[in-house]
Amino acid sequence: IGGDDIAALQATSALPLQASVLTRATDGRWTREPDSINDFIDKSLAGNAPRAIVDAAGSRGIAVVRPLEAIDGTQSVLLLRYPLSMALSLYRGMFRSLIGIGIAGLMLLITGTWLLARGITQPLTALEAAARNLREGVYEPVAIKTKDELARLAESFNTMINAIREREGKITQLAYHDAETRLPNRAALERRLAAAAQPKRLYLAAIGVDRFSHLRGAIGYAHAAALIRRLGVRLARLVPNAPVARLSSDVLGVAFLADDEADALRRADAIARNLEQPLSIDDHVIDVNVAVGVAQPRSKEEPTAAMIERASVALDQARAAHVKAGFFDEAAYGDPARNLSLMGEMRRALESGDMKLVHQPKYDFRAGAIRSAECLVRWKHPLRGNISPDLFVPMAEETGHIRALTEWVLQRTIEDQRRFSAAGHKLALSVNISGRLLGDADFARAAMDLVRGAAHTICFEVTETAVIDDPKRALENIDLFASNGVKIAIDDYGSGLSSLAYLKQMPAHELKIDKLFIQNLTNGNRDALLVRSTVDLAHGLGLEVTAEGVETPAAFAMLAAIGCDLAQGYLVSRPATVEELIALLSDEKRLRYYRQTAAAGAQAQPVVVDGGFRTHPKLA
Ligand code: C2E
Ligand code: CA
Ligand code: CA
């Protein structure tokens, strides 16, 4: 077979066959073929052909071997080969498409999963984050733009957030605001003060409206609340940016800055005076009086509530001292726990002699002599030293010990009156009767039993406030006192809300003008006019007038000129023991000095300014 025959053979097949005729050489090998082909041919001829052949290049193929008849006795075969690479080339395109489809499918799967994850996981994460925020008090709504169940879930979540935010707002409003006036409350002030870094110059003022419960009784609860609200607003305007709060029904609080204690008191006083400008509520003009207590933080660690408490105590102290603004007085306040045991000690002091009675004389302008005195109690505690009656008298009132104290004072007064009498002085003596006792019928009877043994006139000093608290019972007892020959003096007139209605109903014979007015008498303000009109009014009602707290010759002289009946104060004498007072009563030199000073005032023509006295020409 020649080359042309082979080519013709190859051409007859539809498959691209490789045909070759091989002859076995003398060494037994097939011509020019590698070992693998030699093996294949031998095995094929032996009848157990392997499945494939591997050619010299290492590529696999399918092959068929057919023995050929040869004339020269040589052994020949026809080897038909079909390389696999060629056989598969037909399917390559299909493979590629399959791989392409596979890759595309995979991509699709990945994208789908990603989109699905985005659609479910992301909204869930957002919801989780929002829930976490909510727990920490951050109300951040969730933004989900899809239109599926998750979006609806997010929507109801957002509605819930809004509802919670609204409700929390309401709760905060309730917790930190006073419902009646909508002003911030004590808790709000505590919170604001605790949150702020407290500067050294921080002060807190507790501003109390005087006699608020009576005012509220007179104008009604709604108007009283409106009044407090207006004062709060006014206060906030007076001290811009400062925390203002309603500390209790009649007390407002404000924190402010000042240079030192004196500056703080000045500012507090100015605030008080500004707040006292008349207010109109529902076309009614209302006059309010306020007092201010001031306190300062003690340390950074101290809870702000303690400072608020001190300011409130300072307010009580300012009221007791009849001053407009006062600083917290630690010494006067003491320790509340110890104060209670103090009452037990007070009962013992009444027996032991630690409690004493002193007498402050009153100079009678018309008689030019001293004919009466006020009895004041003094307590020298063995450890605490002198304790002011302004501290223990109110405490005795609160703890139910005032009756024992007052009966002791009354007994002593009657004894001392006998001692003055024995020394040749007929003195009318006054005893202070606390408001708490005024309604006590048992006390009234016991007191009258004591008074019946008195050598001369006994006078009871009562305050109008005490009468206003329980007018019926107070007036009944006062009538009982008067019918037993006890004279009645109205004490501290002008320091509270004065009620002329009760003044007329009381069988009083004396009116004592509070020292607050007398001390300002010669300062050139309105007090001179007030004192003069009070004297005229009291005389009109048939009352004698005593001026309390007369400290200067100028005031003494002016009171003489005004027509005041009696002067009591340090100028005449400090509260004195029986012996000291007896010495003063026979001190002619001193009595002459009083008469001369009074005469100087009576002769001088007072200078009238704006209808009132400004100053006295001789004494200015
Ligand atoms: P009060 O009844 O207004 O007594 C007058 C107070 O003013 C006394 O204070 C007296 O020492 C003081 N005083 C007198 N003259 C002057 C003056 O020229 N200038 C100044 N700045 N003060 C003057 P005290 O003795 O400390 O008494 C304070 C308050 O304690 C009394 O005020 C009275 O309300 C109460 N008190 C005193 N003793 C008794 C008592 O035996 N029984 C009752 N229930 N209360 C008493
Ligand atoms: Ca008095
Ligand atoms: Ca008084």
Side-chain angles (χ1 to χ4, degrees), residues 374 376 432 461 491-492 512 548:
E374 176 177 1
L376 296 159
N432 290 288
E461 296 191 359
D491 203 359
D492 302 337
K512 300 188 79 178
E548 290 190 311

Side-chain angles (χ1 to χ4, degrees), residues 322 374 376 432 461 463 490-493 495 512-515 548-549 568:
H322 300 300
E374 176 177 1
L376 296 159
N432 290 288
E461 296 191 359
T463 61
I490 293 155
D491 203 359
D492 302 337
Y493 184 80
S495 68
K512 300 188 79 178
I513 302 177
D514 195 74
K515 50 180 171 279
E548 290 190 311
Q568 178 183 352

Side-chain angles (χ1 to χ4, degrees), residues 320 322 357-358 360 374-378 388-394 397 402 405-406 408-410 413 430-435 437 461 463 491-492 512 514-515 519 548-552 568-575:
H322 300 300
L357 204 61
V358 288
Q360 188 173 35
E374 176 177 1
C375 304
L376 296 159
V377 71
R378 289 288 173 268
S388 161
D390 282 328
L391 175 77
F392 70 83
V393 168
E397 287 175 351
I402 189 65
L405 176 70
T406 308
W408 179 89
V409 170
L410 192 54
T413 300
S430 299
V431 173
N432 290 288
I433 306 294
S434 138
L437 274 181
E461 296 191 359
T463 61
D491 203 359
D492 302 337
K512 300 188 79 178
D514 195 74
K515 50 180 171 279
Q519 279 159 349
E548 290 190 311
V550 183
E551 292 178 352
T552 60
Q568 178 183 352
Y570 295 164
L571 180 86
V572 178
S573 165
R574 290 196 174 246

Side-chain angles (χ1 to χ4, degrees), residues 188-200 202 241-243 255-257 297 299-304 307:
L189 183 69
E190 276 178 31
R191 194 169 69 150
R192 262 197 80 178
L193 289 179
Q198 292 185 6
K200 230 183 156 227
L202 183 83
N241 297 327
F256 63 101
L257 298 176
S299 69
K300 280 202 171 64
E301 292 74 38
E302 186 198 54
T304 44
M307 176 169 55

Side-chain angles (χ1 to χ4, degrees), residues 331-394:
Y333 182 56
D335 172 359
R338 269 173 57 196
N339 288 346
L340 252 159
S341 74
L342 199 63
M343 284 299 101
E345 295 174 44
M346 189 194 81
R347 297 297 285 257
R348 283 191 290 280
L350 295 178
E351 283 138 38
S352 71
D354 286 340
M355 198 73 81
K356 289 216 159 57
L357 204 61
V358 288
H359 308 272
Q360 188 173 35
K362 296 189 266 184
Y363 178 80
D364 184 329
F365 285 114
R366 212 158 319 121
I370 289 164
R371 291 184 165 171
S372 55
E374 176 177 1
C375 304
L376 296 159
V377 71
R378 289 288 173 268
W379 181 7
K380 194 167 182 198
H381 190 277
L383 299 173
R384 295 177 67 165
N386 287 325
I387 304 176
S388 161
D390 282 328
L391 175 77
F392 70 83
V393 168

